[in-house]
Amino acid sequence: MEKEKIEVVIVGAGIAGLATAACLTMHAIPHVILEREDCIASLWHKRSYDRLHLHLAKNFCQLPHFPHPPSTQTFMSKNHFINYIDNYVDHFKLQPRLRCEVESASFDEEDEKWRVAVQDLETGEIGEYVASFVVFATGENDQMVVPEFQDMETLPGEVIHSSSYRNGSKYKGKDVLVVGCGNSGMEIALDLSDSGAKTSIVVRNKLHVVSREFLSWVMPLRKFLPIYILDVLLLFLCYLKYGDTSKYGIQRPKQGPLHLKETAEIYPVIDVGTYQKIKSGDIEVLPSLVSIKGNNVVFNNGISRQFDAIILATGNKSSVKEWLKGADYLIGEDGMSKQKYPNHWKGRHGLYCAGLARKGIYGLADDALSIADDISDLLKSHDAKKLN
Ligand SMILES: Cc1cc2nc3c(=O)[nH]c(=O)nc-3n(C[C@H](O)[C@H](O)[C@H](O)COP(=O)(O)OP(=O)(O)OC[C@H]3O[C@@H](n4cnc5c(N)ncnc54)[C@H](O)[C@@H]3O)c2cc1C
Ligand SMILES: *[C@@H]1O[C@H](CO)[C@@H](O)[C@H](O)[C@H]1NC(C)=O
Ligand SMILES: *[C@@H]1O[C@H](CO)[C@@H](O)[C@H](O)[C@H]1NC(C)=O
């Protein structure tokens, strides 16, 4: 069995792992990035739909030590962002080990090192890294969340998860149901409708629809004004633009969008044109799906309908719990950071997590910087002790 010693193991070559590696490179700290997929940033390359644009303005979507040039458009397209990540990797000369899956990681109290067991997915070979530090940057979306409906498999049409959805070309003229109305669900519904599909979307919970422009105007004011004022401002702007959304089956929660984001990590839905289509009747809003009977999908208002295809935009979750043991103090049941922001990234014995605080790209960029600084400080004080 192959065994390799290295200062830092980073698990995941998504942008959180790459950003951490870049920050370590700036400190000249040796590390390896291990990635299960055959490419970097697999979420952006393989698991997102074609029309995706970043939901936040570019200044909230940059990685450490590599700002976007002024010429970059405010809301970057997926391909543009992928290009930026590729340049990032080139710039810092990052070399992730691809098709290498981490199977387990545990701390060896005896020699005070981490043992990271890996499998090379090309050869099937098992190996081990022995490291002083482990950073897991495995993302918030690694494992599919699929709601269980009885008799789902009896539906004649296609049922796919949103991460397999690329574009609407093959759904032209078809009856398609999108289940789930987060950002992915809402944008996929728009994409389907634009492609000529007869589109319906299930809206089960109360939610805030906000425009990305308004959000990007209001967010920078966070430094100066309390959240509740910003919420009043944001909701006022949204009212001017959308009117009363409950008329169209979308009820707003009692609490404001930014308040919910700060206190409950419930994110508003960023409208990129779907709402207009809901208003015009091009996209139909349906309530909770209660059952499936033969070809018929039954909703809780009693309506029953048939669909050619169902897209489950029901989200994904983190899978870190499956291979990382003994870190319950750091990672909650949901596989996300348990400790409160901004001190969520540091675990014990040289364990760190990057990008698991539900703070998007700007959050994971902060994590990467903090983690690399912390590791650098620890190594320096360790060296100093040795000298004395
Ligand atoms: C459709 C979509 C749009 C989004 N848009 C935005 C946006 O506009 N702005 C924003 O801030 N955020 C957005 N997000 C949130 C997004 O998840 C983060 O911003 C960011 O891309 C996450 O990066 P990451 O590196 O943490 O995770 P990921 O990109 O998921 O990377 C984790 C990597 O770890 C690898 N991995 C996992 N387990 C193992 C293992 N055991 N061994 C080896 N490798 C492993 C995975 O293969 C993956 O490549 C969006 C998310 C989705 C799904
Ligand atoms: C969700 O998880 C599944 C694996 O269970 C994966 O195939 C899919 O690409 C993931 N989707 C996203 C958006 O990360
Ligand atoms: C839609 O996606 C398919 C692959 O799923 C691709 O071959 C095709 O070119 C895409 N169509 C458009 C218009 O981008």
Side-chain angles (χ1 to χ4, degrees):
M1 189 177 79
E2 196 195 330
K3 209 177 214 178
E4 210 174 302
K5 281 194 184 138
I6 184 93
E7 201 74 73
V8 188
V9 165
I10 299 170
V11 189
I15 53 178
L18 296 172
T20 308
C23 294
L24 290 173
T25 304
M26 297 289 276
H27 289 290
I29 298 169
H31 59 268
V32 64
I33 315 170
L34 307 176
E35 170 58 53
R36 171 205 291 148
E37 299 291 330
D38 59 3
C39 63
I40 57 153
S42 63
L43 173 74
W44 300 93
H45 276 288
K46 290 185 166 180
R47 295 181 278 153
S48 50
Y49 44 93
D50 293 344
R51 75 179 288 151
L52 178 66
H53 282 67
L54 295 186
H55 289 134
L56 297 178
K58 65 176 180 181
N59 49 317
F60 290 100
C61 299
Q62 57 197 10
L63 301 181
H65 312 298
F66 206 64
H68 296 297
S71 60
T72 300
Q73 69 200 107
T74 307
F75 295 102
M76 297 172 78
S77 69
K78 167 170 125 173
N79 285 339
H80 196 155
F81 190 61
I82 287 178
N83 204 359
Y84 167 78
I85 303 170
D86 287 342
N87 290 338
Y88 194 76
V89 168
D90 285 346
H91 180 80
F92 291 98
K93 303 193 171 59
L94 307 177
Q95 291 181 317
R97 181 170 168 195
L98 301 177
R99 298 283 285 149
C100 175
E101 183 169 57
V102 170
E103 314 254 273
S104 71
S106 54
F107 185 68
D108 188 336
E109 305 269 351
E110 212 138 287
D111 64 356
E112 302 197 320
K113 296 276 184 208
W114 284 89
R115 314 249 159 209
V116 180
V118 298
Q119 183 177 22
D120 185 313
L121 298 175
E122 289 300 322
T123 62
E125 225 173 302
I126 304 291
E128 187 178 77
Y129 286 90
V130 179
S132 307
F133 304 95
V134 170
V135 182
F136 55 98
T138 46
E140 308 172 344
N141 327 286
D142 212 39
Q143 217 170 37
M144 218 149 16
V145 176
V146 177
E148 294 282 323
F149 296 113
Q150 227 186 349
D151 298 331
M152 185 96 116
E153 63 293 342
T154 64
L155 281 172
E158 175 191 44
V159 181
I160 63 164
H161 189 264
S162 57
S163 52
S164 315
Y165 179 89
R166 290 292 160 273
N167 61 56
S169 34
K170 71 172 180 185
Y171 300 105
K172 189 165 192 266
K174 300 261 166 75
D175 271 300
V176 185
L177 176 68
V178 178
V179 180
C181 55
N183 282 316
S184 294
M186 288 292 237
E187 192 163 9
I188 288 173
L190 174 64
D191 196 45
L192 284 163
S193 177
D194 283 346
S195 310
K198 281 173 265 164
T199 310
S200 309
I201 185 166
V202 171
V203 176
R204 207 174 48 164
N205 301 319
K206 295 185 176 177
L207 59 97
H208 282 295
V209 176
V210 303
S211 108
R212 66 178 187 189
E213 280 75 19
F214 296 163
L215 195 62
S216 73
W217 297 344
V218 168
M219 285 223 335
L221 301 176
R222 264 194 322 187
K223 292 193 195 96
F224 316 109
L225 291 170
I227 290 282
Y228 78 94
I229 303 261
L230 298 182
D231 269 337
V232 170
L233 185 61
L234 185 57
L235 286 172
F236 175 68
L237 290 170
C238 287
Y239 186 77
L240 293 182
K241 178 165 171 138
Y242 301 118
D244 177 5
T245 59
S246 70
K247 274 199 220 153
Y248 301 97
I250 301 177
Q251 295 192 349
R252 289 189 184 276
K254 276 215 181 70
Q255 290 155 315
L258 296 176
H259 176 83
L260 284 172
K261 174 167 168 295
E262 294 293 318
T263 57
E265 274 150 6
I266 298 174
Y267 280 68
V269 174
I270 307 219
D271 177 54
V272 288
T274 315
Y275 188 72
Q276 191 50 44
K277 289 222 158 196
I278 289 175
K279 229 170 149 174
S280 67
D282 288 319
I283 296 175
E284 180 189 23
V285 172
L286 291 166
S288 297
L289 194 165
V290 288
S291 68
I292 291 167
K293 292 207 177 81
N295 296 349
N296 289 314
V297 178
V298 184
F299 298 89
N300 84 355
N301 58 356
I303 289 184
S304 131
R305 296 273 301 277
Q306 298 187 357
F307 297 97
D308 300 307
I310 297 181
I311 319 265
L312 297 172
T314 40
N316 268 32
K317 60 183 186 196
S318 154
S319 67
V320 61
K321 282 257 174 200
E322 315 227 316
W323 57 268
L324 180 64
K325 301 296 169 210
D328 292 349
Y329 66 96
L330 186 62
I331 292 297
E333 269 316 305
D334 55 359
M336 305 294 282
S337 291
K338 198 168 177 180
Q339 302 174 166
K340 278 275 162 268
Y341 190 85
N343 301 311
H344 55 282
W345 46 272
K346 185 166 177 169
R348 297 177 196 140
H349 306 303
L351 180 68
Y352 300 88
C353 61
L356 289 178
R358 293 201 175 89
K359 298 276 178 203
I361 298 168
Y362 62 91
L364 66 84
D366 272 355
D367 294 353
L369 285 163
S370 308
I371 292 169
D373 286 349
D374 198 65
I375 293 178
S376 168
D377 289 347
L378 286 170
L379 288 173
K380 276 184 200 144
S381 70
H382 189 247
D383 285 350
K385 256 189 229 150
K386 260 197 205 158
L387 283 177
N388 288 334

